[in-house]
Amino acid sequence: MNTHHQRDHLSLLMHPATDTTTSDPSENKDWREEELEEDAGLVLLLEAIASPIRFRLLRLLAQEGGNLCVSELVERIPRSQPVVSHHLRLLLVAKLIGVKRLGKHNYYFIWPDTLKEVREALASVEHLLQQRREDQR
């Protein structure tokens, strides 16, 4: 999972957790630290999706096959252009959407691979839960 997201605006990144258990920062990370970093990347994606406005933007982009500009999105969401642009920027930072310039307008589209990462991570949790239930029978 890609954990090299830009660190803007999302609450987890505004106040990153610090690990005080490692005394020497030059020590190699163990597998537990790597898993935490991977989880942090997933949490960023989930936080980006967790807003009703951002989730609605993703739905609109999916319904329209992507390639909508801000003015088209503003027509479909009862929010001002600056608010919609702000939320689009957060989706861009999380790499859930991309943008391309055509003429005077920026057109937004969904990056399906990032949504696939979210789906696969949640499916792995569901799979572990299912295994646990089966083991308890």
Side-chain angles (χ1 to χ4, degrees):
M1 177 166 296
N2 182 2
T3 59
H4 300 290
H5 298 286
Q6 286 183 319
R7 301 198 174 220
D8 273 13
H9 301 283
L10 298 174
S11 64
L12 175 69
L13 297 177
M14 296 296 289
H15 306 287
T18 55
D19 182 7
T20 58
T21 60
T22 305
S23 58
D24 183 4
S26 66
E27 289 180 21
N28 290 335
K29 293 179 188 174
D30 65 16
W31 60 271
R32 295 170 299 171
E33 185 67 29
E34 290 173 9
E35 286 181 349
L36 278 176
E37 287 181 12
E38 185 174 317
D39 289 348
L42 176 62
V43 168
L44 283 176
L45 294 173
L46 293 173
E47 281 186 337
I49 295 170
S51 160
I53 294 171
R54 292 190 294 273
F55 190 76
R56 183 70 182 142
L57 288 168
L58 286 173
R59 288 185 114 172
L60 287 169
L61 289 171
Q63 287 170 354
E64 298 294 328
N67 297 321
L68 292 172
C69 67
V70 174
S71 61
E72 293 169 319
L73 291 165
V74 169
E75 289 174 7
R76 293 169 171 89
I77 294 180
R79 297 294 184 268
S80 68
Q81 182 274 323
V83 169
V84 171
S85 292
H86 169 75
H87 287 283
L88 287 169
R89 196 167 27 260
L90 294 179
L91 291 170
L92 282 165
V93 166
K95 297 194 182 353
L96 285 159
I97 65 171
V99 62
K100 62 184 170 185
R101 183 117 177 129
L102 293 174
K104 295 180 181 181
H105 300 285
N106 288 327
Y107 289 86
Y108 296 88
F109 58 91
I110 293 176
W111 286 116
D113 289 346
T114 307
L115 288 179
K116 181 180 176 185
E117 285 182 35
V118 173
R119 186 175 59 250
E120 288 173 352
L122 292 175
S124 71
V125 171
E126 185 178 27
H127 178 73
L128 291 171
L129 182 60
Q130 185 64 31
Q131 279 183 328
R132 175 107 173 138
R133 287 180 183 155
E134 289 173 5
D135 291 345
Q136 292 177 346
R137 291 183 187 166

